Amino acid sequence: MVKNKLRRLAEIIQEDFPEKLVDAFRSNEKPSLAKRLALIGEAIAFHQGRSEALWLRAGKKRSPEERRAAAQAELAAFVFAYLTGDAKEYADSAMEALRILGRHGDVDLVISLSRR
């Protein structure tokens, strides 16, 4: 059950990210924790970098695209925190990120994972 929830969040983070993040949560071979953390770390850096570039391109103003990229970075940070045992600290920002992304129905995934 947890694997499906993490895979769903990985699918949301995967949008616009060039690496195969979802495969790290889909694989039956169960990639190592270190590999998953490395991929999530790359996703955080990628989305943060994209957010910054979009912010600069918009004249240092927030745009819907920049907000989306920042929200994906926040969601990736939540998954990283979940994998390292600190999910509760990132739950509020992850829920807000899902709302920004228009994924109101997926907020329960964060609530459920942050209880563990």
Side-chain angles (χ1 to χ4, degrees):
M1 188 78 150
V2 168
K3 186 175 178 181
N4 290 337
K5 293 173 185 177
L6 289 173
R7 184 175 45 221
R8 180 69 191 121
L9 293 177
E11 289 171 355
I12 297 167
I13 298 164
Q14 177 72 60
E15 295 173 18
D16 301 319
F17 181 59
E19 300 295 325
K20 301 287 186 190
L21 180 64
V22 175
D23 289 348
F25 293 92
R26 180 179 297 155
S27 175
N28 291 334
E29 298 170 16
K30 207 169 189 189
S32 70
L33 177 60
K35 181 178 179 180
R36 287 181 179 186
L37 290 173
L39 277 171
I40 290 291
E42 288 177 30
I44 293 168
F46 174 81
H47 288 303
Q48 285 176 338
R50 199 166 59 96
S51 173
E52 182 179 344
L54 290 167
W55 179 73
L56 289 170
R57 193 175 315 146
K60 297 184 179 181
K61 295 181 182 175
R62 299 208 72 187
S63 66
E65 295 85 12
E66 184 273 333
R67 284 186 179 99
R68 181 175 176 76
Q72 286 176 292
E74 285 294 327
L75 194 56
F78 171 79
V79 173
F80 189 96
Y82 175 80
L83 292 173
T84 58
D86 294 327
K88 288 181 183 180
E89 293 180 32
Y90 290 83
D92 290 338
S93 61
M95 288 185 282
E96 181 60 27
L98 286 168
R99 290 182 189 106
I100 289 169
L101 294 168
R103 306 289 187 125
H104 302 280
D106 292 321
V107 170
D108 63 322
L109 296 173
V110 172
I111 294 168
S112 175
L113 289 171
S114 63
R115 287 185 191 150
R116 295 182 182 264

